[in-house]
Amino acid sequence: MAAANSLTFCPQVESPAGAAVREGLSSRPRSLPAWLFYDDAGSRLFERITELPEYYLTRTERAILAAHAGTIIAKAAGNAHLRIAELGAGSASKTCLLLAAAMERQGAVHYEPIDVSASALREARQRIEAEIAGVTVAPRTMDYTNGLVFKALRPGERRLVLYIGSSMGNFEPDEALSLLQRVRATLRPGDAILLGVDLIKDREVLLEAYDDAAGVTAAFNRNLLLRLNRELGADFNPLAFAHRALWNRSHSRVEMHLESRRVQRVHFSGLDLTVDFAAGETIHTENSYKYAPGQTEMMLARAGFDPTATWTDEKNWFAVCLGHAR
Ligand code: TRP
């Protein structure tokens, strides 16, 4: 009888968010995957983060791209006509600099932004079509970590994949390497990748970037709980959780947590799940790895790319690395 019962047991099919929450909140230490941040409200909050005075990443990377866009595009292209794709494009505010340089060089550009947020992609398309005439925008709403396929290129074309904004830093280093390897597998020799990575720097500078005075990053972190309330029928009180950012030097990463301010019980009516939090217990919501100079080039090499050139700012806070598929 027991055997018959186990054969007829059929696990309920859960939404990706539901499955992720059940797994992440049942393990210790508790954690939630970072992709859950980027619903419409989360993507909007992240855009505000990129404009904060403390969040040096976006403006430093933008300055590097502004200073070198022409060279970057020329080196990436060689003698070919570039097609540009972007992983985790968001609203693509920095990408315009590269697209404009590509327009100047080749007169027309096909641009394929890929992101999990449809609203961010709509904004990206509007922004680009308004700012640069001649760019064809072909957005794709998808999670690029679930596999990636590109259309075949025409003769004389070369693909440039943009992976900027320190997005790679949100993966464990071994996952980041395997992601680069999977991107490499979609490319042909001579195609290019452009990586934007945040570099190791003073702890104070790092922590302020992830715990700003206006509290936008705290709101972004807590928005995750509001999403779970809405989508999974949870009853989180977001203010009963504190936003925490800390620098984990041995792992070279900034960690984001939500810390339970007191003993509390959270119920998920959509999941038939109850989670008890102790006072001070944390949910680990995100890592942002910071790289040492030269490390990205080594990863590119291990993933099957020749690291062609690296650009950085005068403080050496951020690096933009170009690689060509071997
Ligand atoms: N890619 C961004 C980064 O690591 C994402 C990010 C910025 C983020 N601020 C955050 C993620 C706060 C979670 C919490 O810099």
mmCIF file of all heavy atoms in Angstrom, residues 34 37-38 46 49-50 55-57 164-170 198 209-211 216-218 220-221 243 254-257 285-290, ligand 1:
data_model
loop_
_atom_site.group_PDB
_atom_site.id
_atom_site.type_symbol
_atom_site.label_atom_id
_atom_site.label_comp_id
_atom_site.label_asym_id
_atom_site.label_seq_id
_atom_site.Cartn_x
_atom_site.Cartn_y
_atom_site.Cartn_z
ATOM 1 N N ALA A 34 17.874 36.580 -6.371
ATOM 2 C CA ALA A 34 17.857 38.011 -6.692
ATOM 3 C C ALA A 34 16.913 38.350 -7.853
ATOM 4 O O ALA A 34 16.429 39.482 -7.927
ATOM 5 C CB ALA A 34 19.270 38.469 -7.022
ATOM 6 N N PHE A 37 13.732 40.420 -7.334
ATOM 7 C CA PHE A 37 13.705 41.871 -7.146
ATOM 8 C C PHE A 37 13.015 42.601 -8.292
ATOM 9 O O PHE A 37 12.423 43.650 -8.105
ATOM 10 C CB PHE A 37 15.136 42.434 -7.113
ATOM 11 C CG PHE A 37 15.831 42.270 -5.805
ATOM 12 C CD1 PHE A 37 17.075 41.658 -5.748
ATOM 13 C CD2 PHE A 37 15.263 42.749 -4.645
ATOM 14 C CE1 PHE A 37 17.739 41.525 -4.547
ATOM 15 C CE2 PHE A 37 15.933 42.621 -3.434
ATOM 16 C CZ PHE A 37 17.169 42.005 -3.385
ATOM 17 N N TYR A 38 13.163 42.042 -9.494
ATOM 18 C CA TYR A 38 12.887 42.867 -10.671
ATOM 19 C C TYR A 38 11.479 42.686 -11.228
ATOM 20 O O TYR A 38 11.290 42.372 -12.389
ATOM 21 C CB TYR A 38 13.967 42.637 -11.746
ATOM 22 C CG TYR A 38 15.337 43.021 -11.218
ATOM 23 C CD1 TYR A 38 16.191 42.075 -10.653
ATOM 24 C CD2 TYR A 38 15.736 44.346 -11.210
ATOM 25 C CE1 TYR A 38 17.418 42.438 -10.126
ATOM 26 C CE2 TYR A 38 16.966 44.720 -10.687
ATOM 27 C CZ TYR A 38 17.799 43.764 -10.151
ATOM 28 O OH TYR A 38 19.009 44.132 -9.621
ATOM 29 N N PHE A 46 15.150 50.143 -8.877
ATOM 30 C CA PHE A 46 16.550 49.983 -9.262
ATOM 31 C C PHE A 46 17.022 51.151 -10.130
ATOM 32 O O PHE A 46 18.144 51.646 -9.974
ATOM 33 C CB PHE A 46 16.821 48.646 -9.947
ATOM 34 C CG PHE A 46 18.272 48.496 -10.271
ATOM 35 C CD1 PHE A 46 19.206 48.400 -9.252
ATOM 36 C CD2 PHE A 46 18.717 48.555 -11.578
ATOM 37 C CE1 PHE A 46 20.570 48.340 -9.532
ATOM 38 C CE2 PHE A 46 20.075 48.494 -11.869
ATOM 39 C CZ PHE A 46 20.999 48.379 -10.839
ATOM 40 N N ILE A 49 17.996 53.747 -7.852
ATOM 41 C CA ILE A 49 19.303 53.450 -7.242
ATOM 42 C C ILE A 49 20.435 53.943 -8.137
ATOM 43 O O ILE A 49 21.387 54.570 -7.677
ATOM 44 C CB ILE A 49 19.458 51.929 -6.983
ATOM 45 C CG1 ILE A 49 18.540 51.501 -5.836
ATOM 46 C CG2 ILE A 49 20.912 51.561 -6.678
ATOM 47 C CD1 ILE A 49 18.561 49.998 -5.555
ATOM 48 N N THR A 50 20.290 53.696 -9.441
ATOM 49 C CA THR A 50 21.389 54.048 -10.350
ATOM 50 C C THR A 50 21.608 55.561 -10.412
ATOM 51 O O THR A 50 22.634 56.017 -10.897
ATOM 52 C CB THR A 50 21.150 53.522 -11.781
ATOM 53 O OG1 THR A 50 20.015 54.189 -12.340
ATOM 54 C CG2 THR A 50 20.949 52.018 -11.803
ATOM 55 N N TYR A 55 25.590 55.651 -5.262
ATOM 56 C CA TYR A 55 25.733 54.501 -6.160
ATOM 57 C C TYR A 55 26.662 54.893 -7.307
ATOM 58 O O TYR A 55 26.241 55.258 -8.399
ATOM 59 C CB TYR A 55 24.364 54.044 -6.666
ATOM 60 C CG TYR A 55 24.373 52.644 -7.251
ATOM 61 C CD1 TYR A 55 24.481 51.524 -6.430
ATOM 62 C CD2 TYR A 55 24.295 52.452 -8.627
ATOM 63 C CE1 TYR A 55 24.494 50.243 -6.971
ATOM 64 C CE2 TYR A 55 24.303 51.171 -9.170
ATOM 65 C CZ TYR A 55 24.400 50.078 -8.333
ATOM 66 O OH TYR A 55 24.413 48.811 -8.862
ATOM 67 N N TYR A 56 27.979 54.809 -7.019
ATOM 68 C CA TYR A 56 28.995 55.262 -7.980
ATOM 69 C C TYR A 56 29.046 54.387 -9.224
ATOM 70 O O TYR A 56 29.592 54.783 -10.240
ATOM 71 C CB TYR A 56 30.387 55.243 -7.296
ATOM 72 C CG TYR A 56 30.738 53.839 -6.854
ATOM 73 C CD1 TYR A 56 31.328 52.945 -7.725
ATOM 74 C CD2 TYR A 56 30.366 53.382 -5.583
ATOM 75 C CE1 TYR A 56 31.564 51.637 -7.358
ATOM 76 C CE2 TYR A 56 30.599 52.082 -5.206
ATOM 77 C CZ TYR A 56 31.185 51.204 -6.107
ATOM 78 O OH TYR A 56 31.389 49.901 -5.755
ATOM 79 N N LEU A 57 28.491 53.172 -9.159
ATOM 80 C CA LEU A 57 28.701 52.212 -10.249
ATOM 81 C C LEU A 57 28.236 52.763 -11.602
ATOM 82 O O LEU A 57 28.991 52.772 -12.575
ATOM 83 C CB LEU A 57 27.966 50.888 -9.976
ATOM 84 C CG LEU A 57 28.531 50.012 -8.862
ATOM 85 C CD1 LEU A 57 28.009 50.449 -7.508
ATOM 86 C CD2 LEU A 57 28.200 48.544 -9.106
ATOM 87 N N ILE A 164 26.919 44.557 -19.119
ATOM 88 C CA ILE A 164 27.504 45.659 -18.363
ATOM 89 C C ILE A 164 26.710 45.871 -17.072
ATOM 90 O O ILE A 164 25.869 45.058 -16.701
ATOM 91 C CB ILE A 164 27.586 46.928 -19.244
ATOM 92 C CG1 ILE A 164 26.213 47.322 -19.779
ATOM 93 C CG2 ILE A 164 28.555 46.697 -20.397
ATOM 94 C CD1 ILE A 164 26.228 48.586 -20.637
ATOM 95 N N GLY A 165 27.016 46.953 -16.365
ATOM 96 C CA GLY A 165 26.265 47.279 -15.155
ATOM 97 C C GLY A 165 26.579 46.378 -13.979
ATOM 98 O O GLY A 165 25.798 46.301 -13.037
ATOM 99 N N SER A 166 27.708 45.676 -14.013
ATOM 100 C CA SER A 166 28.109 44.820 -12.893
ATOM 101 C C SER A 166 27.116 43.695 -12.628
ATOM 102 O O SER A 166 27.096 43.113 -11.549
ATOM 103 C CB SER A 166 28.282 45.682 -11.626
ATOM 104 O OG SER A 166 28.594 44.919 -10.510
ATOM 105 N N SER A 167 26.291 43.374 -13.629
ATOM 106 C CA SER A 167 25.297 42.297 -13.416
ATOM 107 C C SER A 167 25.965 40.969 -13.116
ATOM 108 O O SER A 167 25.433 40.153 -12.358
ATOM 109 C CB SER A 167 24.418 42.125 -14.647
ATOM 110 O OG SER A 167 23.809 43.340 -14.997
ATOM 111 N N MET A 168 27.131 40.752 -13.727
ATOM 112 C CA MET A 168 27.827 39.487 -13.497
ATOM 113 C C MET A 168 28.170 39.313 -12.020
ATOM 114 O O MET A 168 28.238 38.195 -11.514
ATOM 115 C CB MET A 168 29.102 39.460 -14.342
ATOM 116 C CG MET A 168 29.740 38.111 -14.414
ATOM 117 S SD MET A 168 31.159 38.128 -15.506
ATOM 118 C CE MET A 168 32.414 38.776 -14.435
ATOM 119 N N GLY A 169 28.363 40.449 -11.331
ATOM 120 C CA GLY A 169 28.700 40.412 -9.916
ATOM 121 C C GLY A 169 27.594 39.854 -9.039
ATOM 122 O O GLY A 169 27.820 39.545 -7.870
ATOM 123 N N ASN A 170 26.394 39.737 -9.566
ATOM 124 C CA ASN A 170 25.308 39.171 -8.781
ATOM 125 C C ASN A 170 25.282 37.647 -8.824
ATOM 126 O O ASN A 170 24.412 37.023 -8.212
ATOM 127 C CB ASN A 170 23.962 39.757 -9.217
ATOM 128 C CG ASN A 170 23.886 41.267 -9.002
ATOM 129 O OD1 ASN A 170 23.524 42.016 -9.891
ATOM 130 N ND2 ASN A 170 24.273 41.730 -7.821
ATOM 131 N N ASP A 198 32.477 45.717 -11.320
ATOM 132 C CA ASP A 198 32.846 46.612 -10.230
ATOM 133 C C ASP A 198 34.096 46.065 -9.545
ATOM 134 O O ASP A 198 34.227 44.850 -9.361
ATOM 135 C CB ASP A 198 31.675 46.686 -9.237
ATOM 136 C CG ASP A 198 31.796 47.872 -8.303
ATOM 137 O OD1 ASP A 198 32.596 48.790 -8.597
ATOM 138 O OD2 ASP A 198 31.084 47.880 -7.274
ATOM 139 N N ALA A 209 27.144 52.615 -1.108
ATOM 140 C CA ALA A 209 26.466 52.394 -2.391
ATOM 141 C C ALA A 209 25.292 51.434 -2.239
ATOM 142 O O ALA A 209 24.365 51.430 -3.053
ATOM 143 C CB ALA A 209 27.465 51.854 -3.416
ATOM 144 N N TYR A 210 25.349 50.611 -1.201
ATOM 145 C CA TYR A 210 24.289 49.611 -0.996
ATOM 146 C C TYR A 210 23.441 49.917 0.234
ATOM 147 O O TYR A 210 22.653 49.070 0.671
ATOM 148 C CB TYR A 210 24.907 48.206 -0.925
ATOM 149 C CG TYR A 210 25.450 47.806 -2.265
ATOM 150 C CD1 TYR A 210 26.766 48.079 -2.617
ATOM 151 C CD2 TYR A 210 24.621 47.226 -3.222
ATOM 152 C CE1 TYR A 210 27.257 47.765 -3.874
ATOM 153 C CE2 TYR A 210 25.096 46.906 -4.471
ATOM 154 C CZ TYR A 210 26.410 47.182 -4.792
ATOM 155 O OH TYR A 210 26.879 46.879 -6.038
ATOM 156 N N ASP A 211 23.612 51.121 0.801
ATOM 157 C CA ASP A 211 22.777 51.522 1.941
ATOM 158 C C ASP A 211 22.726 53.044 1.937
ATOM 159 O O ASP A 211 23.320 53.699 2.777
ATOM 160 C CB ASP A 211 23.384 50.986 3.243
ATOM 161 C CG ASP A 211 22.388 51.072 4.385
ATOM 162 O OD1 ASP A 211 21.232 51.480 4.138
ATOM 163 O OD2 ASP A 211 22.767 50.741 5.523
ATOM 164 N N VAL A 216 16.533 54.405 -0.617
ATOM 165 C CA VAL A 216 15.986 53.790 -1.837
ATOM 166 C C VAL A 216 16.387 52.313 -1.921
ATOM 167 O O VAL A 216 15.576 51.455 -2.280
ATOM 168 C CB VAL A 216 16.448 54.553 -3.096
ATOM 169 C CG1 VAL A 216 15.860 53.932 -4.350
ATOM 170 C CG2 VAL A 216 16.061 56.022 -3.006
ATOM 171 N N THR A 217 17.640 52.017 -1.546
ATOM 172 C CA THR A 217 18.085 50.623 -1.600
ATOM 173 C C THR A 217 17.328 49.766 -0.584
ATOM 174 O O THR A 217 16.963 48.615 -0.863
ATOM 175 C CB THR A 217 19.605 50.535 -1.369
ATOM 176 O OG1 THR A 217 20.249 51.368 -2.337
ATOM 177 C CG2 THR A 217 20.106 49.115 -1.535
ATOM 178 N N ALA A 218 17.038 50.365 0.585
ATOM 179 C CA ALA A 218 16.243 49.641 1.584
ATOM 180 C C ALA A 218 14.849 49.349 1.025
ATOM 181 O O ALA A 218 14.323 48.229 1.172
ATOM 182 C CB ALA A 218 16.149 50.457 2.868
ATOM 183 N N PHE A 220 14.075 49.057 -2.098
ATOM 184 C CA PHE A 220 14.257 48.053 -3.151
ATOM 185 C C PHE A 220 14.341 46.654 -2.535
ATOM 186 O O PHE A 220 13.679 45.713 -2.996
ATOM 187 C CB PHE A 220 15.546 48.389 -3.904
ATOM 188 C CG PHE A 220 15.945 47.409 -4.968
ATOM 189 C CD1 PHE A 220 15.255 47.333 -6.162
ATOM 190 C CD2 PHE A 220 17.049 46.578 -4.784
ATOM 191 C CE1 PHE A 220 15.633 46.445 -7.158
ATOM 192 C CE2 PHE A 220 17.446 45.681 -5.775
ATOM 193 C CZ PHE A 220 16.731 45.625 -6.963
ATOM 194 N N ASN A 221 15.104 46.516 -1.482
ATOM 195 C CA ASN A 221 15.254 45.225 -0.806
ATOM 196 C C ASN A 221 13.890 44.770 -0.255
ATOM 197 O O ASN A 221 13.463 43.635 -0.469
ATOM 198 C CB ASN A 221 16.297 45.369 0.311
ATOM 199 C CG ASN A 221 16.969 44.064 0.694
ATOM 200 O OD1 ASN A 221 16.656 43.003 0.130
ATOM 201 N ND2 ASN A 221 17.878 44.113 1.645
ATOM 202 N N HIS A 243 16.801 46.559 6.440
ATOM 203 C CA HIS A 243 17.745 46.394 5.329
ATOM 204 C C HIS A 243 19.170 46.362 5.891
ATOM 205 O O HIS A 243 19.549 47.236 6.653
ATOM 206 C CB HIS A 243 17.587 47.569 4.365
ATOM 207 C CG HIS A 243 18.677 47.672 3.344
ATOM 208 N ND1 HIS A 243 18.851 46.747 2.345
ATOM 209 C CD2 HIS A 243 19.672 48.589 3.174
ATOM 210 C CE1 HIS A 243 19.898 47.085 1.605
ATOM 211 N NE2 HIS A 243 20.406 48.195 2.087
ATOM 212 N N VAL A 254 29.671 42.329 -1.503
ATOM 213 C CA VAL A 254 28.714 43.033 -0.652
ATOM 214 C C VAL A 254 27.501 42.118 -0.546
ATOM 215 O O VAL A 254 27.019 41.595 -1.551
ATOM 216 C CB VAL A 254 28.312 44.394 -1.261
ATOM 217 C CG1 VAL A 254 27.222 45.059 -0.425
ATOM 218 C CG2 VAL A 254 29.522 45.313 -1.369
ATOM 219 N N GLU A 255 27.040 41.902 0.687
ATOM 220 C CA GLU A 255 25.858 41.064 0.890
ATOM 221 C C GLU A 255 24.677 41.930 1.306
ATOM 222 O O GLU A 255 24.831 42.838 2.116
ATOM 223 C CB GLU A 255 26.102 40.043 2.007
ATOM 224 C CG GLU A 255 27.196 39.055 1.694
ATOM 225 C CD GLU A 255 27.403 38.041 2.815
ATOM 226 O OE1 GLU A 255 26.665 38.118 3.829
ATOM 227 O OE2 GLU A 255 28.289 37.211 2.683
ATOM 228 N N MET A 256 23.516 41.627 0.760
ATOM 229 C CA MET A 256 22.281 42.287 1.170
ATOM 230 C C MET A 256 21.421 41.283 1.923
ATOM 231 O O MET A 256 21.253 40.147 1.475
ATOM 232 C CB MET A 256 21.500 42.766 -0.048
ATOM 233 C CG MET A 256 21.558 44.238 -0.278
ATOM 234 S SD MET A 256 23.187 44.781 -0.770
ATOM 235 C CE MET A 256 23.291 43.977 -2.348
ATOM 236 N N HIS A 257 20.918 41.747 3.058
ATOM 237 C CA HIS A 257 20.038 40.890 3.861
ATOM 238 C C HIS A 257 18.808 41.676 4.279
ATOM 239 O O HIS A 257 18.820 42.909 4.326
ATOM 240 C CB HIS A 257 20.760 40.433 5.139
ATOM 241 C CG HIS A 257 21.981 39.607 4.907
ATOM 242 N ND1 HIS A 257 21.978 38.233 4.932
ATOM 243 C CD2 HIS A 257 23.257 39.964 4.630
ATOM 244 C CE1 HIS A 257 23.212 37.784 4.705
ATOM 245 N NE2 HIS A 257 23.998 38.811 4.512
ATOM 246 N N THR A 285 19.408 38.193 0.539
ATOM 247 C CA THR A 285 18.685 38.471 -0.704
ATOM 248 C C THR A 285 19.594 38.687 -1.916
ATOM 249 O O THR A 285 19.125 38.554 -3.044
ATOM 250 C CB THR A 285 17.783 39.714 -0.555
ATOM 251 O OG1 THR A 285 18.568 40.809 -0.079
ATOM 252 C CG2 THR A 285 16.658 39.443 0.440
ATOM 253 N N GLU A 286 20.849 39.063 -1.702
ATOM 254 C CA GLU A 286 21.691 39.368 -2.870
ATOM 255 C C GLU A 286 23.153 39.412 -2.494
ATOM 256 O O GLU A 286 23.511 39.802 -1.379
ATOM 257 C CB GLU A 286 21.262 40.744 -3.416
ATOM 258 C CG GLU A 286 22.086 41.292 -4.558
ATOM 259 C CD GLU A 286 21.741 40.699 -5.901
ATOM 260 O OE1 GLU A 286 21.869 39.465 -6.052
ATOM 261 O OE2 GLU A 286 21.367 41.469 -6.812
ATOM 262 N N ASN A 287 23.985 39.005 -3.438
ATOM 263 C CA ASN A 287 25.420 39.255 -3.347
ATOM 264 C C ASN A 287 25.825 40.138 -4.514
ATOM 265 O O ASN A 287 25.276 40.010 -5.613
ATOM 266 C CB ASN A 287 26.230 37.960 -3.464
ATOM 267 C CG ASN A 287 26.090 37.094 -2.240
ATOM 268 O OD1 ASN A 287 26.068 37.590 -1.117
ATOM 269 N ND2 ASN A 287 25.992 35.790 -2.452
ATOM 270 N N SER A 288 26.775 41.003 -4.289
ATOM 271 C CA SER A 288 27.359 41.761 -5.382
ATOM 272 C C SER A 288 28.876 41.604 -5.286
ATOM 273 O O SER A 288 29.524 42.254 -4.464
ATOM 274 C CB SER A 288 26.930 43.229 -5.286
ATOM 275 O OG SER A 288 27.309 43.914 -6.456
ATOM 276 N N TYR A 289 29.402 40.697 -6.107
ATOM 277 C CA TYR A 289 30.841 40.405 -6.064
ATOM 278 C C TYR A 289 31.629 41.542 -6.667
ATOM 279 O O TYR A 289 31.223 42.142 -7.669
ATOM 280 C CB TYR A 289 31.145 39.103 -6.816
ATOM 281 C CG TYR A 289 30.820 37.885 -5.988
ATOM 282 C CD1 TYR A 289 29.541 37.353 -5.984
ATOM 283 C CD2 TYR A 289 31.785 37.314 -5.166
ATOM 284 C CE1 TYR A 289 29.231 36.250 -5.197
ATOM 285 C CE2 TYR A 289 31.495 36.212 -4.379
ATOM 286 C CZ TYR A 289 30.211 35.683 -4.395
ATOM 287 O OH TYR A 289 29.912 34.606 -3.608
ATOM 288 N N LYS A 290 32.758 41.824 -6.044
ATOM 289 C CA LYS A 290 33.661 42.858 -6.529
ATOM 290 C C LYS A 290 34.949 42.170 -6.953
ATOM 291 O O LYS A 290 35.460 41.291 -6.247
ATOM 292 C CB LYS A 290 33.935 43.877 -5.412
ATOM 293 C CG LYS A 290 32.656 44.445 -4.773
ATOM 294 C CD LYS A 290 31.736 45.119 -5.787
ATOM 295 C CE LYS A 290 30.392 45.504 -5.205
ATOM 296 N NZ LYS A 290 29.419 45.925 -6.238
HETATM 297 N N1 TRP B 1 23.703 44.802 -10.104
HETATM 298 C C1 TRP B 1 23.469 45.653 -8.983
HETATM 299 C C2 TRP B 1 24.669 45.608 -8.072
HETATM 300 O O1 TRP B 1 25.083 44.570 -7.618
HETATM 301 C C3 TRP B 1 22.211 45.274 -8.251
HETATM 302 C C4 TRP B 1 21.931 46.028 -6.982
HETATM 303 C C5 TRP B 1 22.210 47.322 -6.676
HETATM 304 C C6 TRP B 1 21.290 45.529 -5.853
HETATM 305 N N2 TRP B 1 21.780 47.634 -5.435
HETATM 306 C C7 TRP B 1 21.198 46.569 -4.902
HETATM 307 C C8 TRP B 1 20.760 44.299 -5.517
HETATM 308 C C9 TRP B 1 20.618 46.366 -3.638
HETATM 309 C C10 TRP B 1 20.175 44.118 -4.269
HETATM 310 C C11 TRP B 1 20.100 45.146 -3.343
HETATM 311 O O2 TRP B 1 25.258 46.623 -7.790
#
